Amino acid sequence: MIVNKKNNILHKSFKIGILLKGIDAILQMVGGTLLVFLNPHRLSKIVVLLTQHELSEDPRDIIANFIVKSSLGFNLSAQYFGVFYLISHGIIKLVLVIVLWKKKRFAYPLTIFSLALFIIYQIYRYTLSHSAWLIVLTIFDVVMIILTFIEYRNIKNEVYE
């Protein structure tokens, strides 16, 4: 068996990465569940409550206007998509995290494939929204693909006990 410092650091990074993916998966499922109760009418009330005072003082307030503009695109279709996307994405990631944690060999290529699909979708969404958060998430997913590949190679070669 070959276990050196570099492999150990990569292994620990992989474990931390899948732990973060697991936490993210749970948060996505909770967020999707909460989104079930946030319809466009309720969101409109919340936005008015949050921005009314600020916009009455300064109608050109950048943050308040950003919140108002962002909420305008939220309709029932966006709500249903958000619920479906968050819950399904969270379930997929949580299942992958569980099988990776159990070191199931099939999970490594499946995770790489799934993360590649997520990356493609995130890049597509970035072209529509230009959200910096999508770039950060995509970079994290690329790193996770690399770490998953290295971990899979090490597992196949029985580098760890």
Side-chain angles (χ1 to χ4, degrees):
M1 286 199 192
I2 305 166
V3 178
N4 59 34
K5 276 189 175 183
K6 181 180 177 186
N7 281 341
N8 198 24
I9 290 170
L10 293 174
H11 177 70
K12 286 181 181 180
S13 298
F14 173 76
K15 289 291 191 182
I16 291 169
I18 62 172
L19 177 66
L20 292 174
K21 282 286 183 192
I23 292 168
D24 181 47
I26 291 167
L27 291 174
Q28 282 186 331
M29 291 186 299
V30 168
T33 303
L34 291 175
L35 194 55
V36 168
F37 303 103
L38 182 67
N39 60 36
H41 180 70
R42 285 188 183 125
L43 178 63
S44 179
K45 283 184 171 183
I46 292 169
V47 167
V48 167
L49 180 70
L50 293 174
T51 61
Q52 185 177 21
H53 176 73
E54 194 59 42
L55 288 174
S56 67
E57 289 181 3
D58 180 10
R60 293 188 282 175
D61 184 275
I62 295 171
I63 295 172
N65 279 301
F66 174 76
I67 292 170
V68 170
K69 280 185 182 180
S70 296
S71 71
L72 293 177
F74 187 73
N75 53 32
L76 283 177
S77 176
Q79 178 189 9
Y80 295 150
F81 173 78
V83 168
F84 171 76
Y85 177 78
L86 288 172
I87 292 175
S88 64
H89 196 242
I91 290 170
I92 291 167
K93 281 201 290 188
L94 189 59
V95 168
L96 290 172
V97 164
I98 291 168
V99 292
L100 283 172
W101 209 268
K102 292 181 176 185
K103 295 185 179 180
K104 301 291 183 183
R105 287 188 184 221
F106 73 89
Y108 296 88
L110 183 60
T111 298
I112 291 168
F113 178 74
S114 299
L115 288 175
L117 290 178
F118 292 154
I119 288 170
I120 291 167
Y121 181 72
Q122 288 159 194
I123 291 170
Y124 164 73
R125 293 295 298 177
Y126 177 78
T127 64
L128 301 175
S129 68
H130 302 290
S131 168
W133 178 244
L134 286 171
I135 295 296
V136 171
L137 188 57
T138 299
I139 291 169
F140 181 68
D141 284 346
V142 168
V143 169
M144 281 307 299
I145 284 175
I146 293 166
L147 290 172
T148 303
F149 178 77
I150 293 168
E151 187 75 7
Y152 181 55
R153 189 184 65 207
N154 289 338
I155 293 290
K156 278 177 49 176
N157 296 331
E158 298 181 352
V159 171
Y160 304 113
E161 296 183 290

